[in-house]
Amino acid sequence: MGMDRALISKMGAKYDPAVEYEVRQWINQLLGEDIGEGPSNLEKGLRDGVILCNLMKKIIEGTPSESLPEACNKVNLTPSPSELPFKQMENIEKFLKAARAYGVPNTSLFQTVELYEARNLPMVLATISHVGTE
């Protein structure tokens, strides 16, 4: 219990509101979606994976075909609107698979559970930022 609290505290110290702001603005600009401010709103807004799938779909559609990695053509980004946890985690996995296909290295990707259970939101923000720089 004490170890978990120490890890959560350490992760919270790495949470950068400036990066969150950039990610929120970028998502709003591309999708017209406002996920809200702060770690809890970020987690609530992205947890079901729908916005992430839609974001990746928009990015892939907006990338010129000559610049688009071939692997992106095989990725299914249709999100499931289901409230079931395993469907929401599948949506997150679809985003991660598409980000990998787009060129984001495995070391820059968060794990599904890091978003779904709000364990490492700084890594979630880092992954979304990395997608933006690709």
Side-chain angles (χ1 to χ4, degrees):
M1 193 77 162
M3 181 82 145
D4 286 344
R5 205 172 304 148
L7 286 172
I8 290 169
S9 176
K10 189 174 182 179
M11 292 287 184
K14 292 182 179 184
Y15 192 89
D16 187 348
V19 174
E20 176 209 303
Y21 177 79
E22 284 181 27
V23 167
R24 283 188 305 109
Q25 293 303 312
W26 188 52
I27 289 172
N28 195 336
Q29 183 182 23
L30 287 177
L31 302 177
E33 297 274 352
D34 183 13
I35 58 174
E37 188 174 348
S40 64
N41 286 326
L42 176 82
E43 183 260 334
K44 286 177 192 167
L46 300 179
R47 185 173 192 235
D48 66 3
V50 173
I51 288 175
L52 292 174
C53 285
N54 292 336
L55 177 67
M56 221 38 236
K57 188 184 296 186
K58 187 80 165 184
I59 291 166
I60 289 172
E61 288 171 355
T63 302
S65 58
E66 62 274 359
S67 302
L68 188 66
E70 183 66 33
C72 289
N73 295 324
K74 300 173 186 162
V75 178
N76 173 13
L77 282 167
T78 305
S80 170
S82 176
E83 301 267 330
L84 296 171
F86 77 94
K87 287 293 189 183
Q88 293 177 346
M89 287 189 269
E90 279 180 5
N91 290 341
I92 297 168
E93 272 300 314
K94 287 177 183 181
F95 165 78
L96 293 170
K97 207 177 265 187
R100 191 176 304 113
Y102 199 70
V104 177
N106 284 336
T107 55
S108 296
L109 296 173
F110 64 88
Q111 300 295 313
T112 301
V113 72
E114 290 178 315
L115 169 57
Y116 195 78
E117 295 180 1
R119 289 187 184 175
N120 191 354
L121 294 177
M123 187 64 183
V124 173
L125 291 172
T127 298
I128 295 170
S129 294
H130 200 112
V131 168
T133 61
E134 283 298 317

